[in-house]
Amino acid sequence: MLIIANKYNTEWGNGPINYFSIPVLDRIIREYGEKYQVVYNRPSNGHITMDNSEILELNEIDYIRKNHPHVILAEDLYRKHKGLANNYNHFQLLLYANCSHFISVHGGTAALASYFGGVNIIYSKRGHEHIFKEFETIFPALSGAKVLHAKKEQEVFGYLQEHY
């Protein structure tokens, strides 16, 4: 299983900065969808605690449904098995505990994907985590995960090729 943990929201009072675009998602799924069961996770407004960021619409869910029907959408899986989890966060813990291959983006998605060992490729263009080298220190310490920090999309694909 390969979990892609994405977000698309305002960051630091600006528009989206750290996220996987539809073309990037498409490429990841095309290149790795036969080797792994891809699960795509981008929680909606109703499933996560709101902070100072506004969740925006990327329209990738419809794109994935239409062009990659073999990809499991985490929200669909949650709806189908809602009775087995107390809430969406609990569901994510159950799902992630069964995975060792993650691709995530800066923020809470990257932190959560680092709690379960395995390999987590984190796409992060900027943030305080860079200054304090948290992707090299704190994030791997959460579970012993191999955390690979990519600042550019091409680095994400380089890490994918090397490790997945």
Side-chain angles (χ1 to χ4, degrees), residues 76-90:
D76 291 348
L77 198 58
Y78 174 66
R79 269 194 296 280
K80 184 175 181 182
H81 301 286
K82 199 173 187 176
L84 301 175
N86 297 330
N87 53 46
Y88 196 81
N89 283 333
H90 182 211

Side-chain angles (χ1 to χ4, degrees), residues 82-142:
K82 199 173 187 176
L84 301 175
N86 297 330
N87 53 46
Y88 196 81
N89 283 333
H90 182 211
F91 161 75
Q92 287 181 109
L93 294 172
L94 295 169
L95 177 64
Y96 284 38
N98 289 288
C99 186
S100 59
H101 298 86
F102 300 91
I103 307 170
S104 61
V105 295
H106 180 99
T109 61
L112 183 62
S114 296
Y115 276 107
F116 297 92
V119 177
N120 182 18
I121 299 169
I122 300 173
Y123 179 46
S124 175
K125 294 180 186 178
R126 69 178 177 115
H128 72 275
E129 291 87 345
H130 297 216
I131 298 165
F132 299 107
K133 300 190 183 299
E134 292 179 17
F135 297 131
E136 299 168 23
T137 57
I138 295 170
F139 280 61
L142 296 172

Side-chain angles (χ1 to χ4, degrees), residues 22-23 40 49 81 106 110 114 122 140 155 157:
I22 290 174
Y40 181 73
T49 302
H81 301 286
H106 180 99
S114 296
I122 300 173
E155 291 179 275
F157 290 103

